[in-house]
Coordinates of all heavy atoms in Angstrom, one line a residue:
M1 N 63.4 86.6 112.0 CA 64.4 85.7 111.4 C 65.5 86.4 110.9 O 65.4 87.4 110.1 CB 63.7 84.8 110.3 CG 64.6 83.9 109.6 SD 63.9 82.8 108.4 CE 62.3 83.3 108.1
S2 N 66.7 86.0 111.2 CA 67.9 86.7 110.7 C 68.2 86.3 109.3 O 67.8 85.2 108.8 CB 69.1 86.4 111.6 OG 69.5 85.1 111.5
Q3 N 68.9 87.1 108.6 CA 69.3 86.9 107.2 C 70.8 86.4 107.1 O 71.6 87.0 107.9 CB 69.2 88.1 106.3 CG 67.7 88.5 106.2 CD 66.9 87.5 105.3 OE1 67.4 87.1 104.3 NE2 65.8 87.2 105.8
P4 N 71.1 85.5 106.2 CA 72.6 85.2 106.1 C 73.3 86.3 105.5 O 72.8 87.1 104.8 CB 72.5 83.9 105.2 CG 71.3 84.1 104.4 CD 70.3 84.8 105.3
P5 N 74.6 86.4 105.8 CA 75.4 87.4 105.1 C 75.4 87.1 103.6 O 75.2 86.0 103.1 CB 76.8 87.2 105.7 CG 76.8 85.8 106.2 CD 75.4 85.5 106.6
S6 N 75.6 88.2 102.8 CA 75.7 88.0 101.3 C 77.0 87.2 101.0 O 77.9 87.2 101.9 CB 75.7 89.3 100.6 OG 76.9 90.0 100.8
R7 N 77.1 86.8 99.8 CA 78.4 86.1 99.4 C 79.6 87.0 99.6 O 80.6 86.6 100.1 CB 78.3 85.6 98.0 CG 79.5 84.9 97.5 CD 79.3 84.3 96.2 NE 80.6 84.1 95.5 CZ 80.7 83.6 94.3 NH1 79.7 83.3 93.6 NH2 81.9 83.4 93.8
D8 N 79.4 88.3 99.2 CA 80.5 89.2 99.3 C 80.9 89.5 100.7 O 82.1 89.5 101.1 CB 80.2 90.6 98.6 CG 80.2 90.4 97.1 OD1 80.8 89.5 96.5 OD2 79.6 91.3 96.4
E9 N 79.9 89.6 101.6 CA 80.1 89.8 103.0 C 80.8 88.6 103.6 O 81.8 88.7 104.4 CB 78.8 90.1 103.8 CG 78.2 91.4 103.4 CD 76.8 91.5 103.9 OE1 76.1 90.5 104.1 OE2 76.3 92.7 104.2
F10 N 80.3 87.4 103.3 CA 80.9 86.2 103.8 C 82.3 86.1 103.4 O 83.2 85.8 104.2 CB 80.1 85.0 103.2 CG 80.6 83.7 103.7 CD1 80.2 83.1 104.8 CD2 81.5 83.0 102.9 CE1 80.6 81.8 105.2 CE2 82.0 81.8 103.3 CZ 81.6 81.2 104.4
N11 N 82.6 86.3 102.1 CA 84.0 86.1 101.6 C 84.9 87.2 102.2 O 86.1 86.8 102.6 CB 84.0 86.3 100.1 CG 83.5 85.0 99.3 OD1 83.2 84.0 100.0 ND2 83.5 85.1 98.0
A12 N 84.5 88.4 102.4 CA 85.3 89.4 103.0 C 85.7 89.1 104.5 O 86.8 89.2 104.9 CB 84.6 90.8 102.9
Q13 N 84.6 88.6 105.2 CA 84.9 88.3 106.6 C 85.8 87.0 106.7 O 86.7 87.0 107.5 CB 83.6 88.1 107.3 CG 82.8 89.4 107.5 CD 81.4 89.1 108.1 OE1 81.3 88.3 109.0 NE2 80.4 89.9 107.7
A14 N 85.5 86.0 105.8 CA 86.3 84.8 105.9 C 87.8 85.1 105.5 O 88.7 84.6 106.1 CB 85.7 83.8 104.9
A15 N 88.0 86.0 104.5 CA 89.3 86.4 104.1 C 90.1 87.1 105.3 O 91.3 86.8 105.4 CB 89.3 87.3 102.9
E16 N 89.4 87.9 106.1 CA 90.0 88.5 107.2 C 90.5 87.4 108.2 O 91.6 87.5 108.8 CB 89.1 89.5 107.9 CG 89.0 90.8 107.1 CD 90.3 91.5 107.0 OE1 91.0 91.7 108.0 OE2 90.6 91.9 105.8
L17 N 89.6 86.4 108.5 CA 90.0 85.4 109.4 C 91.2 84.5 108.9 O 92.1 84.2 109.6 CB 88.8 84.5 109.7 CG 87.7 85.1 110.5 CD1 86.4 84.2 110.4 CD2 88.1 85.4 111.9
I18 N 91.1 84.3 107.6 CA 92.2 83.5 106.9 C 93.5 84.3 107.0 O 94.6 83.7 107.3 CB 91.8 83.1 105.5 CG1 90.6 82.2 105.5 CG2 93.0 82.6 104.7 CD1 89.9 82.0 104.2
K19 N 93.4 85.6 106.8 CA 94.6 86.4 106.9 C 95.2 86.4 108.3 O 96.4 86.3 108.5 CB 94.3 87.8 106.5 CG 95.5 88.8 106.5 CD 95.0 90.2 106.0 CE 96.1 91.2 106.1 NZ 95.7 92.5 105.8
A20 N 94.3 86.4 109.3 CA 94.8 86.4 110.7 C 95.3 85.1 111.1 O 96.3 85.0 111.9 CB 93.6 86.9 111.6
L21 N 94.7 84.0 110.7 CA 95.0 82.6 111.2 C 95.8 81.8 110.3 O 96.3 80.7 110.7 CB 93.8 81.9 111.7 CG 93.0 82.6 112.8 CD1 91.6 81.9 113.0 CD2 93.8 82.5 114.1
G22 N 95.9 82.2 109.0 CA 96.6 81.4 108.0 C 95.7 80.5 107.2 O 94.7 79.9 107.8
A23 N 96.1 80.2 106.0 CA 95.2 79.4 105.1 C 95.1 78.0 105.6 O 94.1 77.4 105.6 CB 95.8 79.4 103.7
E24 N 96.2 77.4 106.1 CA 96.2 76.0 106.5 C 95.3 75.8 107.7 O 94.9 74.6 107.9 CB 97.7 75.6 106.8 CG 98.5 75.6 105.5 CD 99.5 74.5 105.4 OE1 99.5 73.6 106.2 OE2 100.4 74.7 104.5
A25 N 95.0 76.8 108.4 CA 94.1 76.6 109.6 C 92.7 76.2 109.2 O 92.0 75.6 110.0 CB 94.1 77.9 110.4
F26 N 92.3 76.5 108.0 CA 91.0 76.3 107.5 C 90.9 75.2 106.4 O 89.9 75.0 105.8 CB 90.3 77.5 106.9 CG 90.2 78.6 108.0 CD1 91.1 79.6 108.1 CD2 89.1 78.6 108.8 CE1 91.0 80.6 109.1 CE2 89.0 79.6 109.8 CZ 89.9 80.6 109.9
C27 N 92.0 74.4 106.3 CA 92.1 73.4 105.3 C 92.4 72.1 105.9 O 93.2 72.0 106.9 CB 93.2 73.7 104.2 SG 92.9 75.2 103.3
A28 N 91.9 71.0 105.3 CA 92.2 69.7 105.8 C 92.2 68.7 104.6 O 91.4 68.9 103.7 CB 91.3 69.2 106.9
R29 N 93.0 67.7 104.8 CA 93.0 66.6 103.8 C 91.7 65.8 104.0 O 91.2 65.8 105.1 CB 94.2 65.7 103.9 CG 95.4 66.3 103.1 CD 96.6 66.7 104.1 NE 97.7 67.2 103.4 CZ 98.0 68.5 103.4 NH1 97.2 69.4 103.9 NH2 99.0 69.0 102.8
S30 N 91.3 65.0 103.0 CA 90.1 64.2 103.1 C 90.1 63.3 104.3 O 91.1 62.7 104.6 CB 89.9 63.4 101.8 OG 88.7 62.7 101.9
G31 N 89.0 63.4 105.1 CA 88.9 62.5 106.3 C 89.5 63.2 107.5 O 89.3 62.6 108.6
K32 N 90.1 64.3 107.4 CA 90.7 65.0 108.5 C 89.9 66.2 108.9 O 89.1 66.6 108.1 CB 92.2 65.4 108.2 CG 93.1 64.3 107.7 CD 93.6 63.5 108.8 CE 94.7 62.5 108.2 NZ 94.8 61.3 108.9
T33 N 90.2 66.8 110.0 CA 89.6 68.1 110.4 C 90.6 69.2 110.5 O 91.7 68.9 111.0 CB 88.8 68.0 111.7 OG1 89.6 67.6 112.7 CG2 87.6 67.0 111.6
P34 N 90.3 70.4 110.1 CA 91.2 71.5 110.2 C 91.3 72.0 111.7 O 90.5 71.7 112.5 CB 90.7 72.5 109.3 CG 89.2 72.3 109.4 CD 89.0 70.8 109.5
D35 N 92.2 72.9 111.9 CA 92.3 73.6 113.2 C 91.1 74.4 113.5 O 90.7 74.6 114.6 CB 93.6 74.4 113.3 CG 94.9 73.6 113.3 OD1 94.8 72.4 113.7 OD2 95.9 74.1 113.0
Y36 N 90.6 75.1 112.4 CA 89.4 75.9 112.6 C 88.4 75.6 111.4 O 88.8 75.2 110.4 CB 89.8 77.4 112.4 CG 90.6 77.9 113.5 CD1 92.0 77.9 113.5 CD2 90.0 78.5 114.7 CE1 92.8 78.3 114.5 CE2 90.8 79.0 115.7 CZ 92.2 78.9 115.6 OH 92.9 79.4 116.7
T37 N 87.1 75.9 111.7 CA 86.1 75.9 110.7 C 85.4 77.2 110.7 O 85.4 77.9 111.7 CB 85.1 74.8 110.9 OG1 84.4 74.9 112.1 CG2 85.7 73.4 110.7
L38 N 84.9 77.6 109.5 CA 84.1 78.8 109.4 C 82.7 78.6 109.8 O 82.0 77.6 109.4 CB 84.2 79.4 108.0 CG 85.6 79.7 107.5 CD1 85.5 80.1 106.0 CD2 86.1 81.0 108.2
F39 N 82.1 79.5 110.6 CA 80.8 79.4 111.1 C 80.2 80.8 111.2 O 81.0 81.7 111.4 CB 80.8 78.8 112.6 CG 79.5 78.3 113.1 CD1 79.1 77.0 112.8 CD2 78.7 79.1 113.8 CE1 77.9 76.5 113.3 CE2 77.5 78.6 114.3 CZ 77.1 77.3 114.0
V40 N 78.9 80.9 111.0 CA 78.3 82.2 111.0 C 77.5 82.3 112.3 O 76.7 81.5 112.6 CB 77.4 82.5 109.8 CG1 76.7 83.8 110.0 CG2 78.2 82.5 108.5
D41 N 77.8 83.3 113.1 CA 77.1 83.6 114.4 C 76.5 84.9 114.2 O 77.1 85.9 114.0 CB 78.2 83.6 115.5 CG 77.5 83.5 116.9 OD1 76.3 83.3 117.0 OD2 78.3 83.6 117.9
E42 N 75.1 84.9 114.3 CA 74.3 86.1 113.9 C 74.6 86.4 112.5 O 74.3 85.5 111.7 CB 74.7 87.3 114.8 CG 74.4 87.1 116.3 CD 73.0 87.0 116.7 OE1 72.2 87.8 116.1 OE2 72.6 86.3 117.6
E43 N 75.2 87.5 112.1 CA 75.5 87.8 110.7 C 77.0 87.9 110.5 O 77.5 88.4 109.5 CB 74.8 89.0 110.3 CG 73.3 88.9 110.3 CD 72.6 90.1 109.9 OE1 73.2 91.1 109.5 OE2 71.4 90.1 110.1
R44 N 77.8 87.4 111.5 CA 79.3 87.5 111.5 C 79.9 86.2 111.3 O 79.6 85.2 111.9 CB 79.7 88.1 112.8 CG 81.1 88.4 113.0 CD 81.3 89.9 112.6 NE 82.8 90.1 112.5 CZ 83.3 90.6 111.4 NH1 82.7 90.9 110.3 NH2 84.6 90.7 111.3
V45 N 80.9 86.1 110.4 CA 81.7 84.9 110.1 C 82.7 84.8 111.2 O 83.4 85.8 111.5 CB 82.3 84.9 108.7 CG1 83.1 83.6 108.5 CG2 81.3 85.1 107.6
I46 N 82.8 83.6 111.9 CA 83.7 83.4 112.9 C 84.5 82.2 112.7 O 84.1 81.3 111.9 CB 83.1 83.4 114.3 CG1 82.1 82.2 114.4 CG2 82.4 84.7 114.7 CD1 81.5 81.9 115.8
A47 N 85.7 82.0 113.4 CA 86.5 80.8 113.3 C 86.2 80.0 114.5 O 86.4 80.5 115.7 CB 88.0 81.2 113.2
E48 N 85.8 78.8 114.4 CA 85.5 77.9 115.5 C 86.7 77.0 115.6 O 87.0 76.2 114.7 CB 84.3 77.1 115.2 CG 83.0 77.8 115.4 CD 82.6 78.1 116.9 OE1 83.2 77.5 117.8 OE2 81.8 79.0 117.1
P49 N 87.4 77.0 116.8 CA 88.6 76.1 117.0 C 88.1 74.7 117.2 O 86.9 74.4 117.5 CB 89.2 76.7 118.2 CG 88.1 77.3 119.0 CD 87.2 77.9 117.9
K50 N 89.0 73.7 117.0 CA 88.7 72.3 117.2 C 88.0 72.0 118.6 O 87.2 71.1 118.7 CB 90.0 71.4 117.1 CG 90.3 71.0 115.8 CD 91.4 70.0 115.8 CE 91.8 69.6 114.4 NZ 92.9 68.7 114.3
S51 N 88.4 72.8 119.6 CA 87.9 72.6 120.9 C 86.4 73.1 121.1 O 85.8 72.7 122.1 CB 88.7 73.3 122.0 OG 88.7 74.7 121.7
A52 N 85.9 73.8 120.1 CA 84.5 74.3 120.2 C 83.5 73.3 119.9 O 83.7 72.5 118.9 CB 84.4 75.6 119.4
P53 N 82.4 73.2 120.5 CA 81.3 72.2 120.2 C 80.8 72.4 118.8 O 80.3 71.4 118.2 CB 80.2 72.4 121.3 CG 80.7 73.5 122.2 CD 82.0 74.0 121.7
R54 N 80.8 73.6 118.3 CA 80.2 73.8 116.9 C 81.3 73.5 115.8 O 80.9 73.5 114.6 CB 79.7 75.2 116.8 CG 78.6 75.5 117.7 CD 77.9 76.9 117.4 NE 78.9 78.0 117.5 CZ 78.6 79.2 117.5 NH1 77.3 79.6 117.3 NH2 79.5 80.2 117.5
H55 N 82.5 73.3 116.1 CA 83.5 73.1 115.1 C 83.1 72.1 114.0 O 83.3 72.4 112.8 CB 84.8 72.6 115.8 CG 86.0 72.4 114.8 ND1 86.2 71.1 114.2 CD2 86.9 73.2 114.4 CE1 87.2 71.2 113.4 NE2 87.7 72.4 113.5
P56 N 82.5 70.9 114.4 CA 82.2 69.9 113.3 C 81.1 70.5 112.4 O 80.9 69.9 111.3 CB 81.6 68.7 114.1 CG 82.1 68.9 115.5 CD 82.3 70.4 115.7
Y57 N 80.4 71.5 112.8 CA 79.3 72.0 112.0 C 79.7 73.2 111.1 O 78.9 73.6 110.3 CB 78.1 72.4 112.9 CG 77.7 71.2 113.7 CD1 78.0 71.2 115.1 CD2 77.0 70.1 113.2 CE1 77.6 70.2 115.9 CE2 76.6 69.1 114.0 CZ 77.0 69.1 115.4 OH 76.6 68.0 116.2
G58 N 80.9 73.6 111.3 CA 81.4 74.7 110.4 C 81.9 74.1 109.1 O 81.9 72.9 108.9
I59 N 82.4 75.0 108.2 CA 82.8 74.5 106.9 C 84.3 74.8 106.8 O 84.9 75.6 107.5 CB 82.1 75.2 105.8 CG1 82.3 76.7 105.8 CG2 80.6 74.9 105.8 CD1 81.9 77.5 104.5
H60 N 85.0 74.0 105.9 CA 86.4 74.1 105.7 C 86.7 73.6 104.3 O 85.8 73.0 103.6 CB 87.2 73.3 106.7 CG 87.1 71.8 106.6 ND1 86.0 71.1 107.1 CD2 87.9 70.9 105.9 CE1 86.2 69.9 106.8 NE2 87.3 69.7 106.1
C61 N 87.9 73.9 103.8 CA 88.3 73.6 102.5 C 89.0 72.3 102.5 O 90.0 72.1 103.3 CB 89.2 74.7 101.9 SG 89.9 74.4 100.3
E62 N 88.6 71.3 101.7 CA 89.4 70.1 101.6 C 90.5 70.2 100.5 O 90.2 70.7 99.5 CB 88.4 68.9 101.2 CG 87.6 68.5 102.4 CD 87.0 67.1 102.3 OE1 87.4 66.3 101.4 OE2 86.1 66.8 103.0
I63 N 91.6 69.7 100.9 CA 92.8 69.8 100.0 C 93.3 68.4 99.8 O 93.0 67.5 100.5 CB 93.9 70.7 100.6 CG1 94.3 70.3 102.0 CG2 93.4 72.2 100.6 CD1 95.5 71.0 102.6
R64 N 94.2 68.3 98.7 CA 94.7 67.0 98.4 C 95.9 66.7 99.2 O 96.6 67.6 99.7 CB 95.2 67.0 96.9 CG 94.1 67.2 95.9 CD 94.7 67.3 94.5 NE 95.8 68.2 94.4 CZ 95.8 69.3 93.6 NH1 94.8 69.5 92.8 NH2 96.8 70.1 93.6
E65 N 96.2 65.4 99.4 CA 97.4 64.9 100.1 C 98.6 65.5 99.4 O 98.6 65.5 98.1 CB 97.5 63.4 100.0 CG 97.0 62.6 101.2 CD 97.1 63.1 102.6 OE1 98.2 63.3 103.1 OE2 96.1 63.1 103.2
G66 N 99.6 65.9 100.1 CA 100.8 66.4 99.5 C 100.8 67.8 99.0 O 101.8 68.3 98.5
D67 N 99.7 68.5 99.1 CA 99.7 69.9 98.6 C 100.7 70.7 99.5 O 100.8 70.6 100.7 CB 98.3 70.6 98.8 CG 97.4 70.3 97.7 OD1 97.8 69.7 96.7 OD2 96.2 70.7 97.8
T68 N 101.4 71.6 98.8 CA 102.4 72.4 99.5 C 101.7 73.7 100.0 O 100.5 73.9 99.7 CB 103.5 72.9 98.5 OG1 102.9 73.7 97.5 CG2 104.2 71.7 97.9
G69 N 102.4 74.5 100.7 CA 101.9 75.7 101.3 C 101.2 76.6 100.3 O 100.1 77.1 100.4
S70 N 101.9 76.9 99.1 CA 101.3 77.7 98.1 C 100.1 77.1 97.4 O 99.2 77.8 97.0 CB 102.4 78.1 97.1 OG 102.9 77.0 96.4
Q71 N 100.2 75.8 97.3 CA 99.0 75.1 96.7 C 97.8 75.1 97.6 O 96.7 75.2 97.2 CB 99.4 73.6 96.4 CG 100.3 73.5 95.2 CD 100.9 72.0 95.1 OE1 101.2 71.4 96.1 NE2 100.9 71.6 93.9
V72 N 98.0 75.1 98.9 CA 97.0 75.2 99.9 C 96.4 76.6 99.8 O 95.1 76.7 99.8 CB 97.5 74.9 101.4 CG1 96.5 75.3 102.4 CG2 97.9 73.4 101.5
E73 N 97.2 77.6 99.8 CA 96.7 78.9 99.7 C 95.9 79.1 98.4 O 94.8 79.8 98.4 CB 97.9 79.9 99.7 CG 98.5 80.1 101.1 CD 99.6 81.0 101.1 OE1 99.8 81.9 100.2 OE2 100.4 81.0 102.1
E74 N 96.3 78.6 97.3 CA 95.6 78.7 96.0 C 94.3 78.0 96.1 O 93.3 78.4 95.6 CB 96.5 78.2 94.9 CG 95.8 78.4 93.5 CD 95.4 79.8 93.2 OE1 96.1 80.8 93.6 OE2 94.4 80.0 92.6
A75 N 94.3 76.8 96.7 CA 93.1 76.0 96.8 C 92.0 76.7 97.6 O 90.8 76.8 97.3 CB 93.4 74.6 97.4
L76 N 92.5 77.3 98.7 CA 91.6 78.1 99.6 C 91.0 79.3 98.9 O 89.8 79.6 99.0 CB 92.3 78.5 100.9 CG 91.4 79.1 102.0 CD1 90.3 78.1 102.4 CD2 92.2 79.5 103.2
K77 N 91.9 80.0 98.2 CA 91.5 81.2 97.4 C 90.4 80.8 96.4 O 89.4 81.4 96.2 CB 92.7 81.8 96.7 CG 92.3 83.1 95.9 CD 93.6 83.7 95.3 CE 93.4 84.9 94.5 NZ 92.1 85.1 93.9
Q78 N 90.7 79.7 95.6 CA 89.7 79.2 94.6 C 88.4 78.8 95.3 O 87.3 79.0 94.8 CB 90.3 78.0 93.9 CG 89.4 77.4 92.8 CD 89.0 78.4 91.7 OE1 89.8 79.3 91.4 NE2 87.9 78.2 91.1
W79 N 88.5 78.2 96.5 CA 87.3 77.7 97.2 C 86.4 78.9 97.5 O 85.2 78.9 97.4 CB 87.8 77.0 98.5 CG 86.7 76.4 99.4 CD1 85.9 75.4 99.1 CD2 86.5 76.8 100.7 NE1 85.1 75.1 100.2 CE2 85.5 75.9 101.2 CE3 87.0 77.7 101.6 CZ2 85.0 76.0 102.5 CZ3 86.6 77.8 102.9 CH2 85.5 76.9 103.3
L80 N 87.0 80.0 98.0 CA 86.3 81.3 98.3 C 85.8 81.9 97.0 O 84.6 82.2 96.9 CB 87.1 82.3 99.1 CG 87.3 82.0 100.5 CD1 88.2 83.1 101.1 CD2 85.9 82.0 101.3
D81 N 86.7 82.2 96.1 CA 86.4 82.9 94.8 C 85.3 82.3 94.0 O 84.5 83.0 93.3 CB 87.6 83.2 94.0 CG 88.6 84.1 94.7 OD1 88.3 84.8 95.7 OD2 89.8 84.2 94.2
S82 N 85.3 81.0 93.9 CA 84.4 80.2 93.1 C 82.9 80.2 93.7 O 82.0 79.9 93.0 CB 84.8 78.8 92.9 OG 84.7 78.1 94.2
G83 N 82.8 80.6 95.0 CA 81.5 80.5 95.6 C 81.2 79.2 96.3 O 80.2 79.0 96.9
E84 N 82.2 78.3 96.2 CA 82.0 76.9 96.8 C 81.9 77.1 98.3 O 81.0 76.4 98.9 CB 83.2 76.0 96.4 CG 83.0 74.6 96.9 CD 84.2 73.7 96.5 OE1 85.0 74.1 95.6 OE2 84.2 72.6 97.1
A85 N 82.7 77.9 98.9 CA 82.6 78.1 100.4 C 81.2 78.6 100.8 O 80.6 78.1 101.7 CB 83.7 79.0 100.9
Y86 N 80.8 79.6 100.1 CA 79.5 80.2 100.4 C 78.3 79.2 100.2 O 77.4 79.1 101.0 CB 79.2 81.5 99.6 CG 78.0 82.2 100.0 CD1 78.0 83.0 101.2 CD2 76.8 82.2 99.2 CE1 76.9 83.7 101.6 CE2 75.7 82.9 99.6 CZ 75.7 83.6 100.8 OH 74.6 84.3 101.2
E87 N 78.4 78.5 99.1 CA 77.4 77.5 98.9 C 77.4 76.4 100.0 O 76.3 75.9 100.4 CB 77.6 76.8 97.5 CG 77.2 77.8 96.3 CD 75.8 78.3 96.4 OE1 74.9 77.6 96.7 OE2 75.7 79.6 96.2
A88 N 78.6 76.0 100.4 CA 78.7 75.0 101.5 C 78.0 75.6 102.8 O 77.3 74.9 103.5 CB 80.1 74.6 101.8
F89 N 78.3 76.9 103.1 CA 77.7 77.5 104.2 C 76.2 77.5 104.1 O 75.5 77.1 105.0 CB 78.2 78.9 104.4 CG 77.3 79.9 105.1 CD1 77.1 79.7 106.4 CD2 76.7 80.9 104.4 CE1 76.2 80.5 107.1 CE2 75.8 81.7 105.1 CZ 75.5 81.5 106.4
I90 N 75.7 77.9 102.9 CA 74.2 78.0 102.8 C 73.6 76.6 102.9 O 72.6 76.4 103.5 CB 73.9 78.7 101.4 CG1 74.2 80.2 101.4 CG2 72.4 78.5 101.0 CD1 73.4 81.0 102.5
S91 N 74.2 75.6 102.2 CA 73.6 74.3 102.2 C 73.6 73.7 103.6 O 72.7 72.9 104.0 CB 74.3 73.4 101.3 OG 75.6 73.1 101.7
T92 N 74.6 74.0 104.5 CA 74.6 73.5 105.8 C 73.7 74.3 106.8 O 73.5 73.8 107.9 CB 76.0 73.4 106.4 OG1 76.6 74.7 106.4 CG2 76.9 72.4 105.6
N93 N 73.2 75.4 106.3 CA 72.4 76.3 107.2 C 71.1 76.6 106.6 O 70.4 77.5 107.0 CB 73.2 77.6 107.4 CG 74.3 77.4 108.4 OD1 74.2 77.3 109.6 ND2 75.5 77.3 107.8
I94 N 70.6 75.9 105.6 CA 69.4 76.2 104.9 C 68.2 76.2 105.8 O 67.4 77.2 105.8 CB 69.1 75.2 103.7 CG1 68.0 75.7 102.8 CG2 68.8 73.8 104.2 CD1 68.4 76.8 101.9
C95 N 68.1 75.3 106.7 CA 66.9 75.4 107.7 C 67.1 76.5 108.6 O 66.1 77.1 109.0 CB 66.8 74.0 108.4 SG 65.3 73.8 109.2
R96 N 68.2 76.9 109.0 CA 68.5 78.0 110.0 C 67.9 79.3 109.4 O 67.4 80.1 110.2 CB 70.0 78.1 110.2 CG 70.4 79.1 111.2 CD 71.8 79.0 111.4 NE 72.4 80.2 112.0 CZ 73.6 80.6 112.0 NH1 74.5 79.8 111.4 NH2 74.0 81.7 112.5
F97 N 68.0 79.5 108.2 CA 67.5 80.8 107.6 C 66.2 80.7 106.9 O 65.5 81.7 106.6 CB 68.6 81.3 106.6 CG 69.8 81.7 107.3 CD1 71.0 80.9 107.2 CD2 69.9 82.8 108.2 CE1 72.2 81.3 107.8 CE2 71.1 83.1 108.8 CZ 72.2 82.4 108.7
N98 N 65.7 79.5 106.6 CA 64.5 79.3 105.8 C 63.3 78.5 106.4 O 62.3 78.4 105.9 CB 64.8 78.7 104.4 CG 65.6 79.6 103.5 OD1 65.4 80.8 103.6 ND2 66.5 79.0 102.8
C99 N 63.6 77.9 107.6 CA 62.5 77.1 108.2 C 61.6 77.9 109.1 O 62.0 78.9 109.6 CB 63.1 75.9 109.0 SG 63.9 74.7 107.9

């Protein structure tokens, strides 16, 4: 059975993807879907595009209506730094690593 990446590994890999694709690519307003979601394949964090079948099963940051570019970046940074992103990943994959 494979092990999930640690929170630090997850955050570092997610930050690299966010740097490459932009903060807004992983954020969506309530009820919407982002251009990409974060998904872990093996022990590597990857970006799943909307066209990928696994996109709905990845995680993303929800932002408020009307947030500006800098507010989106801050919300995403807070989402990662607070551990909320990692907890969302673990909660959506609990059976994958523990069943």
Side-chain angles (χ1 to χ4, degrees):
M1 173 174 17
S2 66
Q3 293 293 314
S6 71
R7 180 175 158 182
D8 288 342
E9 292 167 334
F10 178 90
N11 284 357
Q13 292 177 36
E16 284 298 312
L17 291 168
I18 292 163
K19 183 179 175 183
L21 297 169
E24 296 213 14
F26 297 96
C27 296
R29 277 117 180 100
S30 183
K32 307 278 189 209
T33 57
D35 292 338
Y36 292 90
T37 59
L38 296 171
F39 195 88
V40 175
D41 196 3
E42 300 289 324
E43 295 175 11
R44 186 93 190 123
V45 180
I46 61 171
E48 285 288 343
K50 274 188 181 179
S51 60
R54 296 188 301 187
H55 180 272
Y57 305 105
I59 62 167
H60 69 279
C61 179
E62 284 198 16
I63 54 174
R64 297 180 308 240
E65 263 326 302
D67 277 356
T68 63
S70 63
Q71 289 170 318
V72 168
E73 287 178 19
E74 184 55 37
L76 188 61
K77 182 180 182 328
Q78 179 63 26
W79 184 65
L80 280 177
D81 292 349
S82 70
E84 187 180 344
Y86 187 73
E87 289 304 315
F89 155 68
I90 291 296
S91 69
T92 59
N93 288 279
I94 192 77
C95 195
R96 181 173 161 200
F97 296 107
N98 292 325
C99 291

